[in-house]
Amino acid sequence: MRKEVKYSSKRLLLSLALCACAIILLQNYNVSAKLSFAVNLFCVLIGLAVCFLCLVPAVVIKKRFGSDVLSLVSRRSKPEQFAVTAFYAVYSVYAALYFLIPYTDMFCKKYYPDASPCVIGLLLLVCCVYAAFKGANAITRFGIFLFLLAMLTNFLMFAGSVSSLDFDSGMWQLRGDVPSFLQNAVFFSTPCFAGVIFVCLVGDTINFKLRHPLIAIGLTGVKFALVLFFIAFAVGEYAQRQEYQTFVLSRVAHFGSFAGVESFYMALSTMSVFMIISLLLCCVGKAAKKSESLPFISAFAAAVFVFRLLAYNNNSVKEILTDPFVFTLFSVLAAAALPCVYLIRERSRHA
């Protein structure tokens, strides 16, 4: 297993915040139109609270023992190590597909209709394999560039929509129903997947501070709120009738005669999904002690591609792999439940 070079925890948390933004970039009828903007903000707060709670066990493990869950597991018996590795491997396949499927569908429907989603997915996975082989340190360095791209894209998308704002839609009112509220709250809890990556990789970071995850969650919340705000008041009901509402927002943004910044949106979406899958591959490589094994990383990526093919040919498989409730439940188990078990066991051992 590669001995990872220590890197700043700020870089890891910044990268995870950018990964979490892929949730809102790729949302496609996931946010119920029956809720007003004001109620959706409350759903965002609930979702981010869930994300923070999922980070707590890993934060305590890092602060108390200077380690991460995978490092604690490596001290246990071989069968236990195998079971935990298998669990995180299955989770990583699921999480990779949760983003790869909507991204490739969106890319082909909105940007390049002549391409096959499976071909686009294969090309992206090849790039992710190379990045994962280089390690999380290299990937998080790329996160700095992605942050600059995100700032530029957000500025163009939001500033270009200011002239279209209409506050007479009644979206400030408290309007909605319980099923829609629960649907949106679950959807805005899905960024807790970033907690799983944090659980696996935080042991390789230095200079960790509690404010780092808080800042990352805050940035995610601001991005979600701004996207919801401009979709509600700049695009309105038109966006609700279209697929991939954030893409629609990028298309209606304009500065005088210059209209549409969908190329920036597409670049940001591509880089976000690329970073998510690459970091998931790093997690599996670390869990299996195969970080330096290009064949192992490639085989794991091949498994992701096989399931992408299955989802392309079977809509039922696709629905299961992109279900926000299943994804959130799986993420909570991987980010909070299992780390809690090892936190309790480690505290007992030290006691």
Side-chain angles (χ1 to χ4, degrees), residues 185-204:
V186 169
F187 175 72
F188 291 122
S189 299
T190 53
C192 64
F193 81 90
V196 183
I197 301 174
F198 182 77
V199 158
C200 296
L201 301 181
V202 68
D204 298 324

Side-chain angles (χ1 to χ4, degrees), residues 299-351:
F300 186 82
V304 175
F305 179 69
V306 169
F307 278 98
R308 178 64 187 97
L309 283 174
L310 289 175
Y312 181 72
N313 294 299
N314 190 314
N315 197 54
S316 297
V317 174
K318 179 180 178 180
E319 289 178 0
I320 294 172
L321 293 174
T322 55
D323 187 292
F325 178 77
V326 176
F327 182 55
T328 301
L329 180 61
F330 206 171
S331 297
V332 170
L333 291 175
L338 190 60
C340 277
V341 172
Y342 281 93
L343 174 60
I344 294 170
R345 294 175 66 179
E346 193 69 13
R347 292 182 66 177
S348 299
R349 188 175 73 85
H350 282 269

